[in-house]
């Protein structure tokens, strides 16, 4: 079972079920297949569309074993839609542009379980112009090219002392100016000031979307938190300095 506690406020399930029914009756625009982000928000909210866009029987890989999920065995997958945000990991800021690339035809959504050190991969291909879920695979976190950063991130969000010690001095900062509703403040923070500006970071599990980009064991990672309904975005840039990861920049 993948069920875990969501790091968000309590959600009214009856209201969600009502909304799901409304969305399910609304056809997805054809243009939504252009950008994967447009597709996945429809796929995660529209039950009818989801069942239409899965290649049943769906192969599920566990190491060297494979099982198949039949249509009548599938349970609606909402991914991160019942959270207020979703997360992304990039090797650098330039790589973030791939999100808007309409030419990609292969995307993997990773659901990363920290305590189990397991990653559940949902593999999507665009076939004849339509995005489809073609298989699911479970892999050990140690096999992931982000393994070093993921291990660091989990300790960063669960150990307050380690977190402070992992903030670079000075920390580059860019965010809303408290004295100007429309202004942006750029400057630096000391590690001791980090807790006053730190966003809420998920710790049970996170999602990551691979938009066809090839990862490498880079010495820089950009951890992005994107609001689903409010359009807010926070970027935390980490760099491997010496023999450890350090948070070097916070953009809000």
């Amino acid at each position: 079972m993948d069920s875990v506690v969501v790091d968000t406020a309590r959600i009214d399930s009856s209201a969600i079920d009502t909304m799901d029914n409304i969305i399910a009756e609304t056809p997805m625009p054809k243009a939504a297949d252009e950008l994967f982000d447009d597709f996945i928000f429809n796929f995660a909210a529209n039950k009818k569309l989801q069942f239409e866009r899965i290649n049943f029987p769906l192969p599920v890989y566990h190491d060297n074993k494979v099982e198949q999920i039949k249509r009548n065995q599938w349970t609606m997958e909402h991914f991160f839609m019942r959270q207020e945000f979703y997360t992304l990991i990039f090797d650098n800021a330039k790589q973030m542009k791939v999100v808007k690339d309409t030419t990609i035809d292969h995307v993997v959504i990773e659901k990363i379980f920290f305590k189990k050190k397991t990653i559940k991969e949902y593999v999507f291909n665009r076939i004849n112009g339509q995005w489809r879920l073609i298989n699911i695979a479970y892999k050990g976190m140690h096999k992931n090219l982000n393994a070093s950063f993921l291990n660091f991130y989990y300790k960063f969000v669960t150990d307050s002392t380690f977190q402070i010690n992992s903030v670079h001095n000075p920390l580059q900062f860019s965010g809303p100016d408290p004295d100007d509703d429309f202004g942006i403040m750029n400057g630096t923070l000391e590690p001791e000031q980090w807790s006053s500006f730190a966003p809420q970071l998920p710790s049970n599990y996170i999602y990551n979307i691979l938009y066809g980009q090839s990862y490498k064991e880079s010495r820089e990672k950009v951890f992005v938190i994107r609001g689903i309904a409010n359009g807010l975005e926070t970027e935390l840039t980490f760099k491997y300095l010496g023999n450890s990861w350090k948070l070097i920049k916070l953009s809000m």
Side-chain angles (χ1 to χ4, degrees):
M1 296 293 291
D2 291 333
S3 58
V4 291
V5 177
V6 176
D7 297 336
T8 57
R10 193 175 300 167
I11 299 172
D12 185 343
S13 60
S14 62
I16 288 176
D17 290 339
T18 300
M19 183 60 69
D20 285 350
N21 291 334
I22 294 172
I23 294 172
E25 296 172 1
T26 306
M28 185 184 77
K30 290 184 178 180
D33 273 310
E34 289 293 312
L35 282 177
F36 181 79
D37 278 9
D38 292 341
F39 161 75
I40 197 61
F41 280 107
N42 281 274
F43 182 85
N46 188 323
K47 185 175 182 178
K48 181 180 179 182
L49 174 70
Q50 187 166 127
F51 275 79
E52 289 175 351
R53 293 298 187 89
I54 297 175
N55 284 7
F56 292 114
L58 183 70
V60 180
Y61 299 95
H62 297 264
D63 295 322
N64 296 324
K65 300 178 181 178
V66 60
E67 60 178 324
Q68 292 187 327
I69 297 178
K70 297 178 181 178
R71 183 183 178 88
N72 61 1
Q73 296 173 312
W74 180 257
T75 302
M76 178 72 175
E77 175 58 70
H78 292 280
F79 296 100
F80 38 73
M81 292 298 291
R82 292 187 173 179
Q83 300 179 154
E84 297 176 351
F85 62 90
Y86 65 104
T87 53
L88 301 165
I89 303 171
F90 298 99
D91 283 341
N92 50 61
K94 184 178 179 180
Q95 197 178 63
M96 294 169 64
K97 295 179 181 178
V98 73
V99 175
K100 300 298 182 183
D101 188 349
T102 59
T103 66
I104 60 175
D105 54 15
H106 177 77
V107 172
V108 178
I109 296 182
E110 299 178 325
K111 189 173 185 179
I112 301 161
F113 298 93
F114 289 110
K115 291 182 179 179
K116 294 190 289 186
K117 294 189 178 297
T118 300
I119 298 179
K120 184 177 184 180
E121 297 181 348
Y122 298 83
V123 181
F124 293 84
N125 280 353
R126 184 155 51 182
I127 302 170
N128 296 325
Q130 293 186 338
W131 285 105
R132 303 188 65 85
L133 176 62
I134 62 168
N135 68 65
I136 293 173
Y138 289 85
K139 296 181 180 179
M141 199 167 76
H142 66 281
K143 295 181 180 179
N144 192 278
L145 285 177
N146 281 325
S148 170
F149 175 74
L150 293 174
N151 285 320
F152 160 80
Y153 172 85
Y154 183 58
K155 190 172 183 180
F156 184 82
V157 297
T158 56
D159 185 331
S160 57
T161 301
F162 179 77
Q163 185 173 120
I164 291 293
N165 291 336
S166 298
V167 177
H168 188 265
N169 189 10
L171 173 67
Q172 296 180 54
F173 174 75
S174 176
D177 188 338
D179 299 321
D180 182 353
D181 292 340
F182 302 99
I184 297 296
M185 181 174 66
N186 294 294
T188 59
L189 302 174
E190 296 180 1
E192 294 75 17
Q193 297 175 286
W194 158 250
S195 59
S196 299
F197 294 85
Q200 184 176 357
L201 298 170
S203 59
N204 288 335
Y205 65 85
I206 60 172
Y207 284 95
N208 183 36
I209 304 178
L210 307 178
Y211 297 90
Q213 74 268 38
S214 57
Y215 275 100
K216 59 182 180 179
E217 294 184 28
S218 70
R219 301 178 71 86
E220 181 177 334
K221 298 294 176 185
V222 181
F223 186 80
V224 181
I225 305 170
R226 284 188 176 156
I228 290 177
N230 56 24
L232 297 178
E233 180 167 308
T234 300
E235 295 176 15
L236 294 89
T237 303
F238 296 86
K239 207 161 195 176
Y240 197 81
L241 301 172
N243 59 357
S244 62
W245 288 97
K246 293 286 186 181
L247 175 65
I248 64 168
K249 184 178 180 180
L250 171 64
S251 300
M252 306 179 75

